[in-house]
Amino acid sequence: MQTPAKVGDSHFATEPTLAFFDPKGVPIPVAVSVFPDEIYAAPRSWAERAYPKLIYFNELPKGGHFAAWEQPELFSAELRASFRSLRQAQ
C-alpha cells in the first residue's frame, strides 16, 4: 500500500512532460536567459522554434534554478538587457 506522498510521486512520474517542454508559436515577445545549473537549459535552437518572437537569448556563465537569489547582479542585468532589446525593436 502506498502512502499519499508516494501516490502523488508516482502520479507525477507517470504524467507526460512533453507538453511542458514543447511550447509552439508563443505570440508575445520572449527573452530567454539560460543559467548553466538550471534543471533544463534550453538550447537556442529550441527557443527559436518555440518562440517566434524571441527578442533576446543569452547563456550565462553561472547560476541555476534560483538565479535571482544566487546571482542577483547577473539576473538583473539580464532583465535590463531583455527589456532594452524590446525597446530597440519598437
Side-chain angles (χ1 to χ4, degrees):
M1 181 171 167
Q2 291 184 325
T3 65
K6 289 293 181 187
V7 170
D9 290 346
S10 63
H11 175 70
F12 179 74
T14 60
E15 289 179 359
T17 58
L18 182 59
F20 179 75
F21 289 110
D22 196 25
K24 291 184 178 125
V26 176
I28 60 172
V30 175
V32 175
S33 296
V34 179
F35 292 87
D37 296 327
E38 176 57 274
I39 295 167
Y40 177 75
R44 185 181 189 107
S45 61
W46 178 89
E48 289 171 343
R49 282 193 311 272
Y51 308 118
K53 293 188 177 180
L54 183 67
I55 60 166
Y56 180 82
F57 183 92
N58 191 27
E59 295 180 12
L60 286 296
K62 54 187 172 180
H65 188 68
F66 300 104
W69 178 64
E70 298 167 356
Q71 302 297 328
E73 294 85 13
L74 284 176
F75 185 81
S76 60
E78 286 299 289
L79 283 174
R80 288 185 186 105
S82 64
F83 283 111
R84 186 177 310 117
S85 68
L86 183 60
R87 285 193 307 267
Q88 291 171 353
Q90 293 179 349

